mmCIF file of all heavy atoms in Angstrom:
data_model
loop_
_atom_site.group_PDB
_atom_site.id
_atom_site.type_symbol
_atom_site.label_atom_id
_atom_site.label_comp_id
_atom_site.label_asym_id
_atom_site.label_seq_id
_atom_site.Cartn_x
_atom_site.Cartn_y
_atom_site.Cartn_z
ATOM 1 N N ASP A 756 -12.841 2.599 3.865
ATOM 2 C CA ASP A 756 -14.262 3.015 4.092
ATOM 3 C C ASP A 756 -15.291 2.312 3.181
ATOM 4 O O ASP A 756 -16.330 1.880 3.568
ATOM 5 C CB ASP A 756 -14.359 4.564 3.872
ATOM 6 C CG ASP A 756 -13.663 5.341 5.025
ATOM 7 O OD1 ASP A 756 -13.509 4.874 6.136
ATOM 8 O OD2 ASP A 756 -13.386 6.532 4.701
ATOM 9 N N GLN A 757 -14.915 2.118 1.916
ATOM 10 C CA GLN A 757 -15.693 1.486 0.912
ATOM 11 C C GLN A 757 -15.998 0.012 1.357
ATOM 12 O O GLN A 757 -17.084 -0.528 1.398
ATOM 13 C CB GLN A 757 -15.163 1.565 -0.427
ATOM 14 C CG GLN A 757 -16.111 1.056 -1.493
ATOM 15 C CD GLN A 757 -15.584 1.254 -2.941
ATOM 16 O OE1 GLN A 757 -15.146 2.358 -3.125
ATOM 17 N NE2 GLN A 757 -15.845 0.364 -3.873
ATOM 18 N N ALA A 758 -14.808 -0.644 1.786
ATOM 19 C CA ALA A 758 -14.934 -1.982 2.299
ATOM 20 C C ALA A 758 -15.662 -2.111 3.527
ATOM 21 O O ALA A 758 -16.456 -3.024 3.815
ATOM 22 C CB ALA A 758 -13.522 -2.549 2.463
ATOM 23 N N GLY A 759 -15.577 -1.052 4.368
ATOM 24 C CA GLY A 759 -16.299 -1.035 5.705
ATOM 25 C C GLY A 759 -17.788 -1.187 5.598
ATOM 26 O O GLY A 759 -18.545 -1.581 6.460
ATOM 27 N N LYS A 760 -18.342 -0.648 4.406
ATOM 28 C CA LYS A 760 -19.741 -0.589 4.179
ATOM 29 C C LYS A 760 -20.338 -2.090 4.121
ATOM 30 O O LYS A 760 -21.543 -2.335 4.350
ATOM 31 C CB LYS A 760 -20.126 0.007 2.847
ATOM 32 C CG LYS A 760 -19.764 1.495 2.790
ATOM 33 C CD LYS A 760 -19.998 2.146 1.473
ATOM 34 C CE LYS A 760 -19.693 3.601 1.529
ATOM 35 N NZ LYS A 760 -19.823 4.243 0.155
ATOM 36 N N VAL A 761 -19.514 -3.125 3.884
ATOM 37 C CA VAL A 761 -20.048 -4.505 3.809
ATOM 38 C C VAL A 761 -19.771 -5.164 5.088
ATOM 39 O O VAL A 761 -20.122 -6.419 5.278
ATOM 40 C CB VAL A 761 -19.408 -5.299 2.639
ATOM 41 C CG1 VAL A 761 -19.683 -4.635 1.422
ATOM 42 C CG2 VAL A 761 -17.927 -5.554 2.895
ATOM 43 N N ARG A 762 -19.240 -4.419 6.121
ATOM 44 C CA ARG A 762 -19.119 -4.968 7.527
ATOM 45 C C ARG A 762 -18.215 -6.242 7.566
ATOM 46 O O ARG A 762 -18.726 -7.227 8.112
ATOM 47 C CB ARG A 762 -20.331 -5.119 8.148
ATOM 48 C CG ARG A 762 -21.311 -3.840 8.269
ATOM 49 C CD ARG A 762 -22.583 -4.072 9.085
ATOM 50 N NE ARG A 762 -23.278 -2.856 9.221
ATOM 51 C CZ ARG A 762 -23.038 -1.838 10.169
ATOM 52 N NH1 ARG A 762 -22.071 -2.050 10.994
ATOM 53 N NH2 ARG A 762 -23.794 -0.807 10.223
ATOM 54 N N PRO A 763 -17.093 -6.147 7.044
ATOM 55 C CA PRO A 763 -16.169 -7.372 7.134
ATOM 56 C C PRO A 763 -15.554 -7.587 8.463
ATOM 57 O O PRO A 763 -15.421 -6.647 9.264
ATOM 58 C CB PRO A 763 -15.134 -7.089 5.983
ATOM 59 C CG PRO A 763 -14.968 -5.682 6.129
ATOM 60 C CD PRO A 763 -16.339 -5.014 6.328
ATOM 61 N N ASN A 764 -15.304 -8.796 8.869
ATOM 62 C CA ASN A 764 -14.535 -9.053 9.989
ATOM 63 C C ASN A 764 -13.037 -9.053 9.763
ATOM 64 O O ASN A 764 -12.227 -8.656 10.710
ATOM 65 C CB ASN A 764 -14.834 -10.420 10.627
ATOM 66 C CG ASN A 764 -16.348 -10.644 10.831
ATOM 67 O OD1 ASN A 764 -16.997 -11.413 10.031
ATOM 68 N ND2 ASN A 764 -16.891 -9.965 11.766
ATOM 69 N N ILE A 765 -12.645 -9.350 8.556
ATOM 70 C CA ILE A 765 -11.245 -9.250 8.159
ATOM 71 C C ILE A 765 -11.220 -8.647 6.737
ATOM 72 O O ILE A 765 -11.981 -8.964 5.872
ATOM 73 C CB ILE A 765 -10.611 -10.689 8.015
ATOM 74 C CG1 ILE A 765 -10.751 -11.370 9.468
ATOM 75 C CG2 ILE A 765 -9.178 -10.658 7.607
ATOM 76 C CD1 ILE A 765 -10.470 -12.827 9.429
ATOM 77 N N MET A 766 -10.275 -7.749 6.472
ATOM 78 C CA MET A 766 -10.007 -7.181 5.134
ATOM 79 C C MET A 766 -8.509 -7.242 4.805
ATOM 80 O O MET A 766 -7.739 -7.069 5.691
ATOM 81 C CB MET A 766 -10.708 -5.834 4.900
ATOM 82 C CG MET A 766 -9.963 -4.675 5.634
ATOM 83 S SD MET A 766 -10.721 -3.093 5.216
ATOM 84 C CE MET A 766 -12.310 -3.033 5.984
ATOM 85 N N VAL A 767 -8.200 -7.389 3.499
ATOM 86 C CA VAL A 767 -6.783 -7.393 3.066
ATOM 87 C C VAL A 767 -6.703 -6.491 1.955
ATOM 88 O O VAL A 767 -7.590 -6.308 1.145
ATOM 89 C CB VAL A 767 -6.386 -8.896 2.602
ATOM 90 C CG1 VAL A 767 -7.317 -9.466 1.554
ATOM 91 C CG2 VAL A 767 -4.898 -8.943 2.201
ATOM 92 N N LEU A 768 -5.612 -5.590 2.043
ATOM 93 C CA LEU A 768 -5.292 -4.670 0.976
ATOM 94 C C LEU A 768 -4.081 -5.120 0.209
ATOM 95 O O LEU A 768 -3.288 -6.097 0.478
ATOM 96 C CB LEU A 768 -4.938 -3.310 1.723
ATOM 97 C CG LEU A 768 -6.202 -2.454 2.119
ATOM 98 C CD1 LEU A 768 -7.094 -3.174 3.152
ATOM 99 C CD2 LEU A 768 -5.666 -1.132 2.740
ATOM 100 N N PRO A 769 -3.804 -4.411 -0.906
ATOM 101 C CA PRO A 769 -2.691 -4.873 -1.871
ATOM 102 C C PRO A 769 -1.332 -4.699 -1.204
ATOM 103 O O PRO A 769 -1.170 -4.167 -0.108
ATOM 104 C CB PRO A 769 -2.785 -3.996 -3.058
ATOM 105 C CG PRO A 769 -4.235 -3.454 -3.031
ATOM 106 C CD PRO A 769 -4.606 -3.410 -1.536
ATOM 107 N N GLU A 770 -0.283 -5.006 -2.017
ATOM 108 C CA GLU A 770 1.127 -4.942 -1.584
ATOM 109 C C GLU A 770 1.628 -3.451 -1.888
ATOM 110 O O GLU A 770 1.189 -2.880 -2.854
ATOM 111 C CB GLU A 770 1.934 -5.945 -2.403
ATOM 112 C CG GLU A 770 3.453 -5.993 -1.969
ATOM 113 C CD GLU A 770 4.147 -7.086 -2.755
ATOM 114 O OE1 GLU A 770 3.784 -7.296 -3.816
ATOM 115 O OE2 GLU A 770 5.200 -7.545 -2.233
ATOM 116 N N PHE A 771 2.562 -2.985 -1.119
ATOM 117 C CA PHE A 771 3.256 -1.644 -1.325
ATOM 118 C C PHE A 771 2.091 -0.566 -1.449
ATOM 119 O O PHE A 771 2.191 0.049 -2.455
ATOM 120 C CB PHE A 771 4.107 -1.779 -2.513
ATOM 121 C CG PHE A 771 5.137 -2.859 -2.448
ATOM 122 C CD1 PHE A 771 5.557 -3.602 -3.695
ATOM 123 C CD2 PHE A 771 5.754 -3.193 -1.278
ATOM 124 C CE1 PHE A 771 6.447 -4.544 -3.559
ATOM 125 C CE2 PHE A 771 6.791 -4.231 -1.233
ATOM 126 C CZ PHE A 771 7.066 -4.870 -2.400
ATOM 127 N N ILE A 772 1.278 -0.498 -0.492
ATOM 128 C CA ILE A 772 0.253 0.597 -0.609
ATOM 129 C C ILE A 772 0.733 2.044 -0.326
ATOM 130 O O ILE A 772 -0.057 2.946 -0.646
ATOM 131 C CB ILE A 772 -0.975 0.219 0.379
ATOM 132 C CG1 ILE A 772 -0.587 0.132 1.790
ATOM 133 C CG2 ILE A 772 -1.681 -1.092 -0.077
ATOM 134 C CD1 ILE A 772 -1.598 0.043 2.750
ATOM 135 N N ASN A 773 1.953 2.083 0.284
ATOM 136 C CA ASN A 773 2.435 3.393 0.571
ATOM 137 C C ASN A 773 3.107 4.163 -0.672
ATOM 138 O O ASN A 773 3.034 5.451 -0.616
ATOM 139 C CB ASN A 773 3.432 3.420 1.724
ATOM 140 C CG ASN A 773 4.552 2.396 1.442
ATOM 141 O OD1 ASN A 773 4.334 1.279 1.131
ATOM 142 N ND2 ASN A 773 5.790 2.907 1.584
ATOM 143 N N HIS A 774 3.573 3.453 -1.624
ATOM 144 C CA HIS A 774 4.308 3.983 -2.746
ATOM 145 C C HIS A 774 4.408 3.033 -3.815
ATOM 146 O O HIS A 774 4.512 1.851 -3.502
ATOM 147 C CB HIS A 774 5.695 4.450 -2.256
ATOM 148 C CG HIS A 774 6.368 5.445 -3.258
ATOM 149 N ND1 HIS A 774 7.157 4.929 -4.253
ATOM 150 C CD2 HIS A 774 6.425 6.795 -3.377
ATOM 151 C CE1 HIS A 774 7.618 5.987 -4.983
ATOM 152 N NE2 HIS A 774 7.203 7.071 -4.393
ATOM 153 N N LEU A 775 4.559 3.522 -5.122
ATOM 154 C CA LEU A 775 4.863 2.590 -6.267
ATOM 155 C C LEU A 775 6.188 1.847 -5.904
ATOM 156 O O LEU A 775 7.080 2.440 -5.271
ATOM 157 C CB LEU A 775 5.040 3.360 -7.433
ATOM 158 C CG LEU A 775 3.792 3.816 -8.215
ATOM 159 C CD1 LEU A 775 4.295 4.619 -9.439
ATOM 160 C CD2 LEU A 775 2.911 2.702 -8.660
ATOM 161 N N ALA A 776 6.224 0.584 -6.313
ATOM 162 C CA ALA A 776 7.458 -0.197 -6.083
ATOM 163 C C ALA A 776 8.466 0.161 -7.153
ATOM 164 O O ALA A 776 8.977 -0.609 -7.889
ATOM 165 C CB ALA A 776 7.146 -1.753 -6.016
ATOM 166 N N TRP A 777 8.835 1.423 -7.164
ATOM 167 C CA TRP A 777 9.795 1.898 -8.218
ATOM 168 C C TRP A 777 10.586 3.087 -7.536
ATOM 169 O O TRP A 777 10.061 4.071 -6.961
ATOM 170 C CB TRP A 777 9.124 2.512 -9.455
ATOM 171 C CG TRP A 777 10.082 2.670 -10.480
ATOM 172 C CD1 TRP A 777 10.699 3.922 -10.825
ATOM 173 C CD2 TRP A 777 10.699 1.805 -11.349
ATOM 174 N NE1 TRP A 777 11.522 3.865 -11.853
ATOM 175 C CE2 TRP A 777 11.576 2.457 -12.121
ATOM 176 C CE3 TRP A 777 10.490 0.435 -11.567
ATOM 177 C CZ2 TRP A 777 12.273 1.864 -13.271
ATOM 178 C CZ3 TRP A 777 11.191 -0.174 -12.570
ATOM 179 C CH2 TRP A 777 12.091 0.491 -13.330
ATOM 180 N N TYR A 778 11.867 2.930 -7.411
ATOM 181 C CA TYR A 778 12.724 3.795 -6.662
ATOM 182 C C TYR A 778 13.898 4.331 -7.439
ATOM 183 O O TYR A 778 14.494 3.542 -8.263
ATOM 184 C CB TYR A 778 13.196 3.065 -5.341
ATOM 185 C CG TYR A 778 12.152 2.392 -4.705
ATOM 186 C CD1 TYR A 778 12.053 0.978 -4.754
ATOM 187 C CD2 TYR A 778 11.144 2.989 -3.928
ATOM 188 C CE1 TYR A 778 10.986 0.261 -4.144
ATOM 189 C CE2 TYR A 778 10.052 2.330 -3.434
ATOM 190 C CZ TYR A 778 10.031 0.939 -3.475
ATOM 191 O OH TYR A 778 9.013 0.171 -2.874
ATOM 192 N N GLU A 779 14.325 5.575 -7.161
ATOM 193 C CA GLU A 779 15.444 6.179 -7.912
ATOM 194 C C GLU A 779 16.794 5.697 -7.302
ATOM 195 O O GLU A 779 17.771 5.706 -7.964
ATOM 196 C CB GLU A 779 15.289 7.722 -7.777
ATOM 197 C CG GLU A 779 14.020 8.285 -8.475
ATOM 198 C CD GLU A 779 13.851 9.755 -8.204
ATOM 199 O OE1 GLU A 779 14.625 10.267 -7.439
ATOM 200 O OE2 GLU A 779 12.892 10.248 -8.638
ATOM 201 N N SER A 780 16.735 5.336 -5.992
ATOM 202 C CA SER A 780 17.913 4.944 -5.275
ATOM 203 C C SER A 780 17.527 4.372 -3.953
ATOM 204 O O SER A 780 16.419 4.383 -3.537
ATOM 205 C CB SER A 780 18.792 6.117 -5.089
ATOM 206 O OG SER A 780 18.087 7.071 -4.107
ATOM 207 N N PRO A 781 18.423 3.642 -3.272
ATOM 208 C CA PRO A 781 18.178 3.107 -1.954
ATOM 209 C C PRO A 781 17.739 4.338 -0.972
ATOM 210 O O PRO A 781 16.906 4.063 -0.159
ATOM 211 C CB PRO A 781 19.526 2.443 -1.543
ATOM 212 C CG PRO A 781 20.154 2.044 -2.840
ATOM 213 C CD PRO A 781 19.812 3.219 -3.802
ATOM 214 N N GLU A 782 18.319 5.423 -1.084
ATOM 215 C CA GLU A 782 17.976 6.516 -0.262
ATOM 216 C C GLU A 782 16.494 6.931 -0.481
ATOM 217 O O GLU A 782 15.774 7.192 0.420
ATOM 218 C CB GLU A 782 18.830 7.692 -0.513
ATOM 219 C CG GLU A 782 20.223 7.455 -0.046
ATOM 220 C CD GLU A 782 21.102 6.543 -0.944
ATOM 221 O OE1 GLU A 782 20.679 6.415 -2.193
ATOM 222 O OE2 GLU A 782 22.128 6.013 -0.581
ATOM 223 N N HIS A 783 16.051 6.993 -1.791
ATOM 224 C CA HIS A 783 14.778 7.280 -2.163
ATOM 225 C C HIS A 783 13.704 6.228 -1.623
ATOM 226 O O HIS A 783 12.635 6.504 -1.046
ATOM 227 C CB HIS A 783 14.540 7.386 -3.702
ATOM 228 C CG HIS A 783 13.183 7.622 -4.201
ATOM 229 N ND1 HIS A 783 12.578 6.895 -5.087
ATOM 230 C CD2 HIS A 783 12.228 8.547 -3.759
ATOM 231 C CE1 HIS A 783 11.334 7.331 -5.259
ATOM 232 N NE2 HIS A 783 11.141 8.350 -4.481
ATOM 233 N N CYS A 784 14.083 4.975 -1.692
ATOM 234 C CA CYS A 784 13.313 3.937 -1.216
ATOM 235 C C CYS A 784 13.065 4.008 0.326
ATOM 236 O O CYS A 784 11.921 3.891 0.784
ATOM 237 C CB CYS A 784 13.893 2.518 -1.515
ATOM 238 S SG CYS A 784 13.058 1.092 -0.846
ATOM 239 N N TYR A 785 14.162 4.358 0.967
ATOM 240 C CA TYR A 785 14.017 4.559 2.461
ATOM 241 C C TYR A 785 13.238 5.761 2.833
ATOM 242 O O TYR A 785 12.351 5.723 3.725
ATOM 243 C CB TYR A 785 15.453 4.723 3.058
ATOM 244 C CG TYR A 785 15.465 4.723 4.543
ATOM 245 C CD1 TYR A 785 15.556 3.465 5.151
ATOM 246 C CD2 TYR A 785 15.453 5.824 5.315
ATOM 247 C CE1 TYR A 785 15.515 3.362 6.525
ATOM 248 C CE2 TYR A 785 15.515 5.840 6.661
ATOM 249 C CZ TYR A 785 15.586 4.548 7.314
ATOM 250 O OH TYR A 785 15.611 4.427 8.798
#
């Protein structure tokens, strides 16, 4: 929403935006 205020045609967000890239186990990562 903040980026939308400048009316871009294309925007790019960081990596791993859903969760920290730190996991207790493969099951936790999944």
Side-chain angles (χ1 to χ4, degrees):
D756 286 338
Q757 186 170 325
K760 294 176 182 178
V761 303
R762 299 183 179 279
N764 305 107
I765 302 168
M766 68 172 77
V767 55
L768 277 60
E770 185 182 29
F771 304 141
I772 58 172
N773 56 303
H774 192 274
L775 283 178
W777 191 264
Y778 314 104
E779 298 169 3
S780 65
E782 293 75 20
H783 176 233
C784 178
Y785 191 82

